[in-house]
Each structure stands twice: as structure tokens, then as C-alpha cells.
Amino acid sequence: MWRQMEMAVLLAVLWIQLGCSSASMTNGEPGWSSTVRESSLITFQDGSSEAPGPLFTADVPVVFTLEADFRQLKRDRDQESEDRPATMTLKQGPGEEVAIPLQVRTRGNFRLQSHICPFPPLRLDFPEDSVGGTLFEGQDKLKLVTHCMDRDSYELNVLEEYLAYRIFNLLSDISFRVQLALITYRDSGGRESPVSRIAFLIEDEDVMAARLEGMMVEVPAADPKDFAQGQAGLMYLFQYLIGNTDWSGAGFHNVKLVQVGWDYLPIPYDFDFSGLVDAPYAGPSPALARQIETVRERLYRGFCSDEIDYDGLFARFNEERESILGLVDNLPGYSGRTARLTRTYIEEFFETINDSHRADWEIKSRCRRGE
């Protein structure tokens, strides 16, 4: 119960941080967590307004309305579901809105199941000629991580998964960038009430590969020994930090592979089953039942390699310790008991890596020699 009550307070704080005027909280607009109303812009206390910088480069949330046939989208539960026409109304500058036509479809695997997530994850597909001169210029297809259920606790999970991506961004440029968003979802048929919730966008994999001057590699399986071990070790330890066991380096479950030069670099994604997020539906794999009982328990799942410099990795994480904790402290709308629990969870990781005996027992000796 405290989680739902606290979320309402946190989201009110977020809106205050963004400086929304009280005038935007009237006129019967759809509520954002029963607190935040749709506004024409992010308006600051001095009366000025501004939009976020280029996509994936700023912590300021992008604000837009997404109108589509959500009654139908909630029925689209196949891996090959259809694209549906939609319109994004983007708040781009002082007094400026732009309407962007696009296609929307459902996506995902576990969260695509209706009994798990009544509101499915989405993919946005932008026609090339529709985004010129907008914040989305140069974008093609973007994954959108949504709130799963229209409850405040699930919105906290969105923020926590966004935090996981941002932590890995701090540790490595070889990562998926993310963009926080405040979205109002409107059903084009008027059959469902509008809903306003936090979400975040994930950088397209081909755009990410181009940014790294590399290319995506699509193979069904690989030997983790063929990965660049510096990046692999970083990923393994990051997964341990956030308490994530829902991944496979050999089978590419929640891991992508990009080739840069001669190096094959694994990149993690999809962290809703991590202990950091601790989603209501998340639990350890049955194969790990004898080792951990909940996702909050950490279990190192990295692969053994003489080329992984653990002491160097521990030093790298320690260098970013304050920055990582700063992400928790400065995450919009994230404070109070929830933030304290998250800080404690992260601090426990640093206690482990800075205790040589615990680090040897819980990390170095736990490496896997195969799946």
C-alpha cells in the first residue's frame, strides 16, 4: 500500500520539478497518476518554456499525446501483429505543437501477454517524411516501454527499468540510450478514457550500431569467449549489480551483439525481471530455484574467462559509484522510501565488490563455464 501512496506523492513532486503551472491541471484533462494533467509545454517557474534537447541526450522528459485505436492494440497479442495508424502530438517549443503521423504496433514477449500486461509495450514506426524538423528527426523505429497496468506501482517499475539503462549508459557508451517521456494515450475511437503515464523510448539498435561505427550481428548462438572480454565482463558485473538473471550471453536472450572492427560486443537490454525493478510478475527461472528465491537476491551469472580483469572492473564501478547513486537521487519523481530502498540495494553491491572475501566467493568463484 505504501508504494501506491508514495507514487502519487512522487509524481506530484515530478510535476513541480518540471514547473507545470496550475492552469494545466484543470479542464477535466486525463490524469497522470491522478495528479498530473496534460500541459501544452514543460513550463518553468520563470514562465519560460522549452522542449528537451536532441532525443536521447537530455534527462528532461519529452511530452506528447499518442492517439491510436488502443481498443484494438490491446487485442493485438501476436508476435506478428499489424501496424496501426496513429498520430503523435508533440510539444516542441513555446506555444508550438506538431502532429506527426506514424504507425504503432504491439511488441515484446512476456509483457505481450494480456494477463501480464493489459497495456502492452509498443513500437513506434515513423515515416521518413513526417519527422523532419522535429525532435524525432532521423528516427525510424523506436521501442516504447509502457506502464503494463494503469497503476502507480507499475509506473514506478518503468522508472526503475529506465534507471537500469541509465546506469549502464554511465558505465559504457556501448549501450542502448533511453529517453524518458510523459505520454497521454488517447483512443481514436473514443471508446476508452485517456490515460497519462510515464514511459521511455529505447534507441533503435541500428542507430546505436551506427553511433558506435559498427553493425548489428544476428546469430542464434555464440561462444561468450568470442566476445570482447572487457565489454563482456562489464555486462556480467552490471547484471549482478541490478540483480538480473534473466539473460543469456550464449543464446542472446535479452542481449544484442554489435561488431565494431574485429570486436564482438554484447549489449544488455530488457531489465524488468531484475531485482532493481522487482516487477510484481517477476521471479527467478525455475532452473535457479535452488540458488535464489526472489529476483532481489543477487546471483552472478557471468562466464569464466582468464581475460576478465575483475579487480579492474571493481575499480571501474567504484569510479562511477557516486554518479550511479546520483542517478537515483536525481531521477524525476523518484524519492522517499522507494529511493532509499534502491540506494540500499545498490550500496549492497558496492559492499560486496569492496570486500575481497565476499567478492571472491560471490562473484569470481561463481562464473559459469557453460549455459
Side-chain angles (χ1 to χ4, degrees), residues 107-138:
R107 64 171 188 87
N109 190 353
F110 187 82
R111 283 184 274 194
L112 187 58
Q113 301 174 73
S114 60
H115 69 282
I116 300 295
C117 287
F119 196 98
L122 301 172
R123 190 188 73 180
L124 312 182
D125 188 351
F126 297 94
E128 185 177 352
D129 58 357
S130 71
V131 291
T134 76
L135 185 64
F136 289 85
E137 184 169 0

Side-chain angles (χ1 to χ4, degrees), residues 40-42 49-52 90-98:
S40 59
L41 273 178
I42 298 172
S49 302
E50 65 181 60
L90 177 65
K91 304 171 191 315
Q92 187 157 276
E96 178 185 357
E97 289 187 347
V98 58

Side-chain angles (χ1 to χ4, degrees), residues 170-172 234 311-321:
L170 276 179
L171 295 166
S172 177
L234 192 73
D311 292 336
L313 283 173
F314 297 160
R316 175 78 183 94
F317 277 73
N318 277 318
E319 287 175 3
E320 298 294 347
R321 178 175 183 163

Side-chain angles (χ1 to χ4, degrees), residues 72-300:
Q72 180 59 56
L73 282 165
K74 290 177 182 179
R75 295 171 179 165
D76 292 345
R77 299 292 175 165
D78 297 325
Q79 290 291 332
E80 301 301 325
S81 60
E82 294 183 31
D83 287 318
R84 306 291 180 183
T87 301
M88 172 189 289
T89 303
L90 177 65
K91 304 171 191 315
Q92 187 157 276
E96 178 185 357
E97 289 187 347
V98 58
I100 301 173
L102 70 157
Q103 299 287 315
V104 177
R105 59 169 292 182
T106 57
R107 64 171 188 87
N109 190 353
F110 187 82
R111 283 184 274 194
L112 187 58
Q113 301 174 73
S114 60
H115 69 282
I116 300 295
C117 287
F119 196 98
L122 301 172
R123 190 188 73 180
L124 312 182
D125 188 351
F126 297 94
E128 185 177 352
D129 58 357
S130 71
V131 291
T134 76
L135 185 64
F136 289 85
E137 184 169 0
Q139 302 298 327
D140 181 13
K141 295 178 175 63
L142 293 176
K143 291 180 179 179
L144 180 64
V145 178
T146 57
H147 52 274
C148 186
M149 287 191 183
D150 190 19
R151 297 178 186 172
D152 294 347
S153 58
Y154 283 85
E155 199 164 46
L156 270 177
N157 293 151
V158 172
L159 281 170
E160 288 155 346
E161 188 171 6
Y162 169 80
L163 175 63
Y165 279 94
R166 293 290 289 116
I167 290 172
F168 198 62
N169 292 159
L170 276 179
L171 295 166
S172 177
D173 288 334
I174 305 166
S175 57
F176 285 102
R177 292 177 175 174
V178 286
Q179 172 68 58
L180 201 62
L182 308 181
I183 304 174
T184 296
Y185 304 93
R186 292 187 184 278
D187 181 55
S188 56
R191 295 166 295 182
E192 299 193 1
S193 299
V195 173
S196 298
R197 288 290 184 185
I198 292 173
F200 67 87
L201 298 153
I202 303 177
E203 183 179 30
D204 178 74
E205 61 184 50
D206 291 322
V207 173
M208 180 269 295
R211 171 169 60 82
L212 299 174
E213 299 183 349
M215 60 181 293
M216 298 304 300
V217 178
E218 299 290 343
V219 291
D223 186 339
K225 293 180 181 178
D226 293 334
F227 298 156
Q229 292 303 297
Q231 172 73 8
L234 192 73
M235 181 186 74
Y236 301 156
L237 197 58
F238 162 75
Q239 301 278 30
Y240 180 75
L241 184 159
I242 66 171
N244 191 29
T245 60
D246 185 35
W247 63 276
S248 169
F252 295 109
H253 173 59
N254 293 335
V255 175
K256 293 288 185 179
L257 190 65
V258 63
Q259 181 179 359
V260 178
W262 294 103
D263 291 330
Y264 293 95
L265 306 167
I267 304 176
Y269 69 99
D270 202 351
F271 308 121
D272 61 315
F273 268 67
S274 69
L276 183 73
V277 176
D278 194 19
Y281 51 75
S285 163
L288 304 177
R290 292 185 177 181
Q291 300 179 71
I292 56 174
E293 295 182 356
T294 74
V295 294
R296 291 286 283 183
E297 297 179 63
R298 289 187 172 93
L299 178 66
Y300 186 68

